[in-house]
Each structure stands twice: as structure tokens, then as C-alpha cells.
Amino acid sequence: MRHVLAVFVVAAVLTSAPADSQSLGDRAKSLLGSKQQNSGSLTESQAGAGLKEALAQGAGNAVARLGKTDGFLLDEAVRIGTPKSVRKLTKAARKLGAGAQVDAFETSMNRAAEQAIPAAADILSDAVRAMTVEDALAIVRGGDTAGTAYFRRTSEDSLRAAFLPIVSKSTDSNGVTQSFKAVTRSAGGGMAGSLASMAGVDSNLDLDQYVTDKALDGLFHYIAEEEKAIRSNPLKRGSDLLKKAFGG
């Protein structure tokens, strides 16, 4: 029980009001003393559940934010642009009056990411349920995005496996991305391949993998933002259990 309360004491020291003349050590001792005096109504299970619920809330908010129409497309922080290897080509296309086609290509990639993101909900929930007391302690003692790092470490492979077929289905059903895939494949040889190579098209570029990776980057970006917000104001962003753990 005591070591779980210590988790929240450390977090309280890190996220409470600006430090006064007391040292962090003195403040920690003071907080620990008050927790031990009033710990009768807070069980180890409740303390762990509070932290899990807060992280689950942040992950859920990130999924809800991105897993909808324009969740990626209209958000400059995560918007998926054309792959780096073909940006010279798309820039030239815009100058030649084909800007609408380039926009349609970028829109199709962002739509594919938006369609894939909801698949993250169950996977991230499983990661929260699997979290141990040791994981919780490491998260609280870690940096501003230690919880995000936990999600990435435990869930990234499963998320990629879940996203990729959804992205592939979406891009296969869109004429613009179908055409891009055909150009990428043709870059491997023949006259069409020579022209594609001259235009800078990378024959090794896997568009579906590119979109999947960008979708993951966007998801973890907002999980990190949610975690920072929870750390900066746990009593506002956390659950009732987390507020109780902090003495709120």
C-alpha cells in the first residue's frame, strides 16, 4: 500500500503548485505524511485504478480527436503530406496546374489514417489493463511522456498490424492512391519506370506503410499532449479516483 501511495506522492510533487521555500524533499515528506494519515479510505487497487483511468482517458481523447473526418486532414500538427521522395514531383505538378490532383492524393491519405485510428481503442485499453504497479511507478517517475512511451512500447506493433489492412483497403478503393501505387510499382523498370525514376519516384516506397506510420505518429503525438495536460493539472483532468489519490 505504501509504495503505491508513494507513486502519487511523487506525482503530486511534480505537478502541484510552484515550489516555495520548501525543498522538494521536504514537500514529499509532508505529502507522504498526510497520505499515510488519511490512507484508510484509499486501497492499492483504487490508487492503481486512478492512474490507469487517467491514462485511458487521455488515450481515448486522442483516438476520438483523430478518428473522425478531418481529424488528420485539417490538423496541421499531424496532417499527412506527400512522401518526401515525391515532393519535387508534386510541387512541379502544382506549377503545371495539377494542384487539384495533388490535393486529392493528400486527402485520400489522411482519410485512410482517419479510418484506421478507431481500431486503436481496444488495443490501448488492453495496454492499460495490463499495466502493473511497477509500470505505474515508472510512469509517474518518468518524464512528461512516460505514459505515452509505455503505450508505444506495449502497443505499437499491435496498432501497426491493425491499421495497415484498414489503410490498404482505403487506398485501394481510391483512384488517386491506386494510380500512385501503380506509378511506384512501374518505377522498378521499363519505359514507364524510367520516367518515374527521372521524376524522383522511389520504387521502394510502400504508400500503405507510409500512411500507417504517419497515423501512428499522429496518434502518439496526441496521447503525449493528453498526458502532459493530465500531469499539469491532475485534479482537473483525472478521474474521481485520481483526485482522491491526490487528496483533491
Side-chain angles (χ1 to χ4, degrees):
M1 175 67 187
R2 182 174 298 178
H3 68 284
V4 174
L5 292 176
V7 170
F8 290 97
V9 169
V10 173
V13 171
L14 295 175
T15 58
S16 58
D20 50 23
S21 58
Q22 279 185 300
S23 69
L24 288 179
D26 290 339
R27 292 171 66 207
K29 290 178 182 178
S30 175
L31 285 166
L32 183 57
S34 66
K35 292 296 177 188
Q36 289 174 337
Q37 292 170 11
N38 299 293
S39 64
S41 60
L42 181 66
T43 68
E44 179 174 310
S45 176
Q46 286 176 319
L51 179 59
K52 288 184 178 184
E53 200 167 319
L55 291 174
Q57 179 191 76
N61 288 344
V63 170
R65 177 175 189 144
L66 296 173
K68 62 182 180 181
T69 301
D70 294 333
F72 274 85
L73 186 65
L74 298 186
D75 188 333
E76 287 302 316
V78 296
R79 188 178 189 276
I80 301 173
T82 53
K84 186 176 180 179
S85 65
V86 297
R87 284 176 192 166
K88 288 183 180 180
L89 177 63
T90 55
K91 186 179 292 186
R94 289 186 186 281
K95 289 181 179 180
L96 294 173
Q101 286 85 345
V102 175
D103 289 341
F105 174 52
E106 293 189 346
T107 296
S108 68
M109 291 189 295
N110 284 274
R111 291 286 182 255
E114 291 160 5
Q115 291 169 24
I117 287 293
D122 288 343
I123 295 171
L124 294 174
S125 294
D126 288 343
V128 170
R129 283 192 289 270
M131 188 181 297
T132 65
V133 171
E134 289 74 19
D135 291 329
L137 182 61
I139 288 169
V140 175
R141 284 179 171 172
D144 287 345
T145 58
T148 305
Y150 167 83
F151 280 128
R152 197 181 266 277
R153 184 179 73 253
T154 60
S155 307
E156 186 169 19
D157 289 345
S158 296
L159 289 169
R160 181 175 284 105
F163 284 8
L164 188 57
I166 299 173
V167 168
S168 181
K169 182 178 180 180
S170 178
T171 56
D172 281 346
S173 67
N174 185 282
V176 178
T177 44
Q178 272 189 331
S179 297
F180 180 85
K181 288 180 179 181
V183 169
T184 302
R185 288 192 294 269
S186 73
M191 183 177 294
S194 297
L195 292 173
S197 296
M198 288 174 62
V201 176
D202 182 3
S203 62
N204 294 317
L205 175 64
D206 184 329
L207 183 66
D208 295 334
Q209 189 64 62
Y210 170 78
V211 174
T212 297
D213 288 343
K214 290 296 183 182
L216 287 169
D217 288 345
L219 176 62
F220 286 120
H221 170 80
Y222 275 115
I223 290 177
E225 291 300 301
E226 288 287 334
E227 181 180 359
K228 290 174 187 176
I230 290 169
R231 286 178 183 273
S232 68
N233 194 340
L235 301 186
K236 179 180 179 181
R237 299 298 300 272
S239 66
D240 288 342
L241 285 173
L242 190 55
K243 292 176 185 178
K244 187 176 183 181
F246 278 102

